[in-house]
Amino acid sequence: MYSFASDNMSEVHPQIMDALLRCNSGPAAAYGADDWTARLNAVYSELFERETFVFPTPTGTAANGLAIAACAPPHGAVFCHALSHIVTAECGAPEFYSGGARLVLLPSEASKVETGALTAELGNYGPDHIHQLKPAVVSITQATERGRVYTLSEIAALGEIARSHAMRLHMDGARFTNALVHLGATPAEMTWKSGVDILSFGTTKNGTMMSEAVIVFDKATAADIRYRHKRAGLLQSKMRYFSAQLIAYLEGDLWRKSALQANLNAQRLAKALSAAEGVSLADPVEANEVFVHLPPPVKAALAAHDIHFRKWADTKDTLFRIVASYADDPKQIAQVERAIMALDVTQVGGIETNRNC
Amino acid sequence: MYSFASDNMSEVHPQIMDALLRCNSGPAAAYGADDWTARLNAVYSELFERETFVFPTPTGTAANGLAIAACAPPHGAVFCHALSHIVTAECGAPEFYSGGARLVLLPSEASKVETGALTAELGNYGPDHIHQLKPAVVSITQATERGRVYTLSEIAALGEIARSHAMRLHMDGARFTNALVHLGATPAEMTWKSGVDILSFGTTKNGTMMSEAVIVFDKATAADIRYRHKRAGLLQSKMRYFSAQLIAYLEGDLWRKSALQANLNAQRLAKALSAAEGVSLADPVEANEVFVHLPPPVKAALAAHDIHFRKWADTKDTLFRIVASYADDPKQIAQVERAIMALDVTQVGGIETNRNC
Amino acid sequence: MYSFASDNMSEVHPQIMDALLRCNSGPAAAYGADDWTARLNAVYSELFERETFVFPTPTGTAANGLAIAACAPPHGAVFCHALSHIVTAECGAPEFYSGGARLVLLPSEASKVETGALTAELGNYGPDHIHQLKPAVVSITQATERGRVYTLSEIAALGEIARSHAMRLHMDGARFTNALVHLGATPAEMTWKSGVDILSFGTTKNGTMMSEAVIVFDKATAADIRYRHKRAGLLQSKMRYFSAQLIAYLEGDLWRKSALQANLNAQRLAKALSAAEGVSLADPVEANEVFVHLPPPVKAALAAHDIHFRKWADTKDTLFRIVASYADDPKQIAQVERAIMALDVTQVGGIETNRNC
Amino acid sequence: MYSFASDNMSEVHPQIMDALLRCNSGPAAAYGADDWTARLNAVYSELFERETFVFPTPTGTAANGLAIAACAPPHGAVFCHALSHIVTAECGAPEFYSGGARLVLLPSEASKVETGALTAELGNYGPDHIHQLKPAVVSITQATERGRVYTLSEIAALGEIARSHAMRLHMDGARFTNALVHLGATPAEMTWKSGVDILSFGTTKNGTMMSEAVIVFDKATAADIRYRHKRAGLLQSKMRYFSAQLIAYLEGDLWRKSALQANLNAQRLAKALSAAEGVSLADPVEANEVFVHLPPPVKAALAAHDIHFRKWADTKDTLFRIVASYADDPKQIAQVERAIMALDVTQVGGIETNRNC
């Protein structure tokens, strides 16, 4: 079976597993007073080229909730795209963590928050209109839920609007590294240098076991979020096993290599599919996801080859999402490419639907 | 160095580590649709001798918050002991998870919730007195924060009061197994058969990496808590690594063996200390913790032997907490015993204070 | 000046003021233990033809927040129209009161929640999809934010969908009576007989000083909401002054007479405007609001006659809202009619914009 | 019948009623855009001798919840006396408004927060101890729940501790004026000049219908609390009727005269009772409340004279609370004095118990 349902189905990368084994020798201080966690801020400060505060979380949902709560009062409005993971797949985590901030869904042609739509919506808000919530956060997903990557200037433009309205810019970086290597940018460039105030830094989809993190660039927010982090039950007693993953993830450029591999796999799949009869890509393939319209006979034929992926939920019947992973076996990718090129579209099979990713 | 500061400093048990390695082979369905999680409810239903629903969480703080929120409305009162971990060491997680329920601290001679104090306090509440919150939960810690173990009849008596006031009985079982083996009871006897409605089941202190769980015994609560679990960011994408730990924890009776070992270590340390000049146990040693009054020269002498543990925060200078672990090296325990027996009380050293455990 | 900006600008009806004066004689028991409040449930039970529980609130925003919180868990989804007052003009009260429930905005051609849109959206939710919130409430406004009135069968159809998804149907009745007299229905028919589970009963816009109420039709919700009502600071110490208004409001059919007058005034204004050159009604006039497209010269001419009302915020320049009140002086209505008929469209004036009503 | 159960049983003062009638003439702008509200901040700025922002609320519970939420994050600790109204009689309003801040009850000999107890408790908190909540607010009640009045230097001492720990000092001034006239201080002296950051200003017990207010002394808090005020449903549509009361309350020194009268009545009752056989005052009488130990025959005899008041709930049988009001008829006070002096202690009668005041 070839499954491209989601990158979070992948096993843990062997280097991460090794890191866990290495830190499993004898006792270590609890609640982050261990040697691994002691290095965490320094390692990430170097990575981001400025003082950086790292708050490990077990899931991206927790990271997003925590990050938004640190920036939005309960009466805050969080402007985001209707397709955002925080909207469609986190069961209201931002509302829970913030105590009732509201997600305001912006209209958009594609999967990115657009400056025009944001500015237009902001016209309904302001200090003289307290019947509406207080603008607090702009939240974007990098790469987006449709596999697109915001350019540095697109991020900077949103950061500028956020700043001019006393809002913060949050980046949900569940696939941060896939976007980063696509842009060829530095972590600093793709975040605070472009106006990002707070980042949900994802690593689980790209090879760790369960280590996401909220990355904070200012001391005041860090001082506040420490309490929220503990209060939500996200401060691990055996924190070393989280910190060790976050450190090992960067060692030897593991993170970039993995993301490059995943993106390459997506490109190969996209290229093969594009050449098939009646198939068309729905979005440019920039990270590790392929969104593709497949005629029923094509999808049936792929299923017949035991090639699986998901229907994209919010759309009409022919749109599918294929997610490539760093862990895909290159031989299997080649087999899939061959299968696509030799598609026999006469057999029908079932295809799962799910949009939680 | 011999550290008895906390059992959550211990490394992960090798059998747990093996389980993690074993489930790290190839992709698996995400968000709990994997094979390990599929077995979880069945395995724990067998353990508890009735239909049981398991919600893995990364920390005990998250488990307690989640469990209490599932039982208390935002306007609910949660009756508990003033020493409770939920009071002293979770930064308000129950308030956060529940949306503002209140912890009502009951007076007590020792570390257990007493029926008399509970009944007396309940006199201030009721449907005709809505100026107070609504009684919702009684929460007890098994073993208690002072290492005591509620007997089955003590639990049952609290369960009876809870039921008669339409409240739920929550058990914070951070050291569930240490208490269980002390009582020689079954999991069913120590929980639902004694009136416990919901359980925070701890495994991390007793050998896993980060797997706690809320154990639910009724379908309606399980149907509700699923949403709360996801919403708080506690539903792991790579859930298999949590479920595999919770399953391996029970295999070959690992959990009981580990708890028996920890309790035995505590007994040995307590016995050795009791024999020392001027030393007195503050509480009976029933689980894996020793609370002991140490004259300054004694504590200094122990520090001189590089034997470390914590001052107990809320009390006068001479009270200390010693926590034994399954992972303590028996040779080291023997060395510590010998050191205690040959105490030289002439040298002074620093001792850490911390009550978060 | 003739102001039709909002019906909540009206003074208190003399009969209501008399009621306040009458109950201002000597001491009375506090917190609702007074004689007026003692009659409240009975009076409204008779009105609604079944056991009814009344929770007075000082504002409609508080009533809506309270009612929704009583029906939606924090992880609940509240389906409503994008124009709803709870969406556009209450600063997130439903989120605050419920602890983070989410308002899900349904697409609609007009200002009513449509069964088709509701059913379609519900397809994204369900017990097997906990990545989304739990469907909890359908909330409708009667009369709607565009002055339309749901028919009994429209309400019943929504009630049926709500019930079949284990949701509750909430009615924001800020202009309850204006809708009621339009339909010629009984309060029972327009609420619980059509599937409404909980009602925000408005009286302030129709003549009281500040008495809204949550009307509850079942004992379990009433038992819960009592705590929420007190906890939010809505239980008045001198409750008699609220209850007396709610009772006087019904006496001698004051409420119906006032609503009929307001609706009639709206009809007269609508009719006069419809006849004017270039003017067109945007919505049928069913309650006491007129939504009308006015060419700039017309609106300027009206302003020149000192006739004021508001631009309707979310729409293009020519749409205006005119709200009639029970308190409008019939002579003034006649003057305005004459002014409209004799419109001189040569002079320009400013017009306020505001959608909080 | 002579009832001294609570000052909130009193009718509305005729001057307040007149003010309501005076502002009931024709339409006025809604949501605080009216002429009365326009003057509110100016009137109170003059009263408090600095820029002051006034947020009317319908109850003291709402005022306290709002004030605390404006000063405490959800993870904040609010230090207060165990007898505080916010603890015993508001059904968790501070937790609700703040999203889960915790009330930390300080031990005390009497009804005042003591600097020693506060400082001792603060030793358990701090930036290096995030397992506990973040110190955020000290809340005191002036006059206290036992009728005592904090001196200016007592307030200042607490204000100093608050400031040195980056906390805010909140005053619950449900009986603000009764305390003020006892001290002979200015409003400025009793609040911001003594370190009070935010005030719940009570007027209802002292003669209005339902007008309390949060008084804010700094712009940043005012900018934040506006949203919270609206969001909680406390921004009245017909705000003029609240603002008019708050203005009339000060006119002609009505507020002081009423408080002086109430305090004087309490003094007279206290004096008469003190002289009775076996009766002893439990607390010095400083405001308008008398706490008194009454032997059963005495209380029975008073009941026989139809003189009613409440048993004080948290204490043993003989403690009673007598609350005097500005509205007590002086002739009745004289009759009660005579009745006390001529006590016939042979007849028994029922006495209500209630501590919500």
Side-chain angles (χ1 to χ4, degrees), chain A residues 24 27 40 63 120 152 165 184 223 233 294 310 343:
Chain A
N24 196 44
L40 203 55
L152 296 187
H165 287 78
L294 296 178
R310 291 182 184 143
L343 272 179

mmCIF file of all heavy atoms in Angstrom, chain A residues 24 27 40 63 120 152 165 184 223 233 294 310 343:
data_model
loop_
_atom_site.group_PDB
_atom_site.id
_atom_site.type_symbol
_atom_site.label_atom_id
_atom_site.label_comp_id
_atom_site.label_asym_id
_atom_site.label_seq_id
_atom_site.Cartn_x
_atom_site.Cartn_y
_atom_site.Cartn_z
ATOM 1 N N ASN A 24 17.935 8.878 27.485
ATOM 2 C CA ASN A 24 17.280 7.967 28.431
ATOM 3 C C ASN A 24 18.298 7.240 29.314
ATOM 4 O O ASN A 24 18.286 6.020 29.406
ATOM 5 C CB ASN A 24 16.410 6.966 27.670
ATOM 6 C CG ASN A 24 15.422 6.267 28.594
ATOM 7 O OD1 ASN A 24 14.793 6.915 29.424
ATOM 8 N ND2 ASN A 24 15.311 4.948 28.487
ATOM 9 N N PRO A 27 18.570 9.549 35.890
ATOM 10 C CA PRO A 27 17.620 10.614 36.230
ATOM 11 C C PRO A 27 18.023 11.960 35.647
ATOM 12 O O PRO A 27 19.182 12.204 35.332
ATOM 13 C CB PRO A 27 17.665 10.653 37.766
ATOM 14 C CG PRO A 27 18.943 10.009 38.149
ATOM 15 C CD PRO A 27 19.328 9.061 37.048
ATOM 16 N N LEU A 40 17.782 24.731 24.982
ATOM 17 C CA LEU A 40 16.766 24.911 23.949
ATOM 18 C C LEU A 40 16.678 26.354 23.442
ATOM 19 O O LEU A 40 16.727 26.616 22.240
ATOM 20 C CB LEU A 40 15.413 24.460 24.510
ATOM 21 C CG LEU A 40 14.328 24.050 23.526
ATOM 22 C CD1 LEU A 40 14.818 22.967 22.580
ATOM 23 C CD2 LEU A 40 13.111 23.550 24.302
ATOM 24 N N ALA A 63 -0.206 24.246 20.316
ATOM 25 C CA ALA A 63 0.680 25.370 19.999
ATOM 26 C C ALA A 63 -0.118 26.550 19.464
ATOM 27 O O ALA A 63 0.071 27.695 19.887
ATOM 28 C CB ALA A 63 1.737 24.935 18.985
ATOM 29 N N ALA A 120 -10.330 45.492 4.295
ATOM 30 C CA ALA A 120 -11.770 45.760 4.186
ATOM 31 C C ALA A 120 -12.492 45.342 5.463
ATOM 32 O O ALA A 120 -13.298 46.091 6.013
ATOM 33 C CB ALA A 120 -12.340 45.014 2.977
ATOM 34 N N LEU A 152 7.937 36.146 1.123
ATOM 35 C CA LEU A 152 8.369 37.044 2.205
ATOM 36 C C LEU A 152 7.641 38.377 2.117
ATOM 37 O O LEU A 152 7.259 38.962 3.132
ATOM 38 C CB LEU A 152 9.879 37.256 2.143
ATOM 39 C CG LEU A 152 10.742 36.000 2.366
ATOM 40 C CD1 LEU A 152 12.216 36.401 2.454
ATOM 41 C CD2 LEU A 152 10.313 35.231 3.612
ATOM 42 N N HIS A 165 -2.440 48.252 13.105
ATOM 43 C CA HIS A 165 -3.695 48.151 13.861
ATOM 44 C C HIS A 165 -3.451 47.594 15.259
ATOM 45 O O HIS A 165 -4.377 47.104 15.902
ATOM 46 C CB HIS A 165 -4.698 47.252 13.118
ATOM 47 C CG HIS A 165 -5.278 47.883 11.915
ATOM 48 N ND1 HIS A 165 -4.598 47.981 10.731
ATOM 49 C CD2 HIS A 165 -6.486 48.484 11.702
ATOM 50 C CE1 HIS A 165 -5.352 48.592 9.842
ATOM 51 N NE2 HIS A 165 -6.493 48.916 10.396
ATOM 52 N N GLY A 184 13.765 29.168 0.135
ATOM 53 C CA GLY A 184 15.208 29.377 0.270
ATOM 54 C C GLY A 184 15.518 30.508 1.229
ATOM 55 O O GLY A 184 16.542 31.180 1.113
ATOM 56 N N ALA A 223 7.078 35.896 29.186
ATOM 57 C CA ALA A 223 6.785 35.899 30.629
ATOM 58 C C ALA A 223 5.330 35.530 30.892
ATOM 59 O O ALA A 223 5.016 34.864 31.884
ATOM 60 C CB ALA A 223 7.095 37.275 31.213
ATOM 61 N N GLY A 233 -1.342 22.369 31.071
ATOM 62 C CA GLY A 233 -0.808 21.011 31.185
ATOM 63 C C GLY A 233 0.160 20.666 30.074
ATOM 64 O O GLY A 233 0.297 19.503 29.700
ATOM 65 N N LEU A 294 -9.110 14.797 -10.105
ATOM 66 C CA LEU A 294 -8.953 13.488 -10.730
ATOM 67 C C LEU A 294 -10.308 13.015 -11.244
ATOM 68 O O LEU A 294 -11.255 12.910 -10.466
ATOM 69 C CB LEU A 294 -8.442 12.472 -9.707
ATOM 70 C CG LEU A 294 -7.063 12.691 -9.103
ATOM 71 C CD1 LEU A 294 -6.787 11.597 -8.071
ATOM 72 C CD2 LEU A 294 -5.999 12.674 -10.182
ATOM 73 N N ARG A 310 -6.604 11.297 0.230
ATOM 74 C CA ARG A 310 -7.933 11.715 0.668
ATOM 75 C C ARG A 310 -8.634 12.666 -0.285
ATOM 76 O O ARG A 310 -8.005 13.546 -0.861
ATOM 77 C CB ARG A 310 -7.837 12.408 2.034
ATOM 78 C CG ARG A 310 -7.469 11.461 3.139
ATOM 79 C CD ARG A 310 -7.446 12.213 4.445
ATOM 80 N NE ARG A 310 -6.990 11.323 5.513
ATOM 81 C CZ ARG A 310 -6.222 11.689 6.530
ATOM 82 N NH1 ARG A 310 -5.835 12.951 6.632
ATOM 83 N NH2 ARG A 310 -5.850 10.827 7.443
ATOM 84 N N LEU A 343 -1.602 4.216 -16.214
ATOM 85 C CA LEU A 343 -2.925 4.101 -15.587
ATOM 86 C C LEU A 343 -3.924 3.295 -16.406
ATOM 87 O O LEU A 343 -4.155 3.565 -17.587
ATOM 88 C CB LEU A 343 -3.514 5.497 -15.346
ATOM 89 C CG LEU A 343 -3.130 6.133 -14.012
ATOM 90 C CD1 LEU A 343 -3.766 7.509 -13.923
ATOM 91 C CD2 LEU A 343 -3.613 5.267 -12.865
#
